[in-house]
Amino acid sequence: MVYAPVPEAVGHKVVRKYQAKKIVALARWRVEAERYKPYLAPYDISIMPPGG
């Protein structure tokens, strides 16, 4: 499992480098998690809101 410190850090290079692993982006705020979820879902990247 690979954790990205912020959703903006997940780009095509990260997806390609860690394609065999589960990628989790850590959001700073709950609203940020809701905003990025539709964009990251097609790439099978989950986003974790603050507090888990």
Side-chain angles (χ1 to χ4, degrees), residues 3-45:
Y3 290 97
V6 291
E8 294 90 356
V10 180
H12 66 278
K13 290 181 182 179
V14 172
V15 172
R16 185 176 39 206
K17 184 175 181 180
Y18 299 108
Q19 63 185 348
K21 299 186 187 259
K22 179 74 174 156
I23 301 173
V24 178
L26 304 175
R28 293 168 285 210
W29 304 285
R30 187 165 303 277
V31 67
E32 182 181 49
E34 294 169 5
R35 184 181 331 142
Y36 280 99
K37 191 175 223 174
Y39 298 108
L40 298 175
Y43 301 104
D44 195 31
I45 299 170

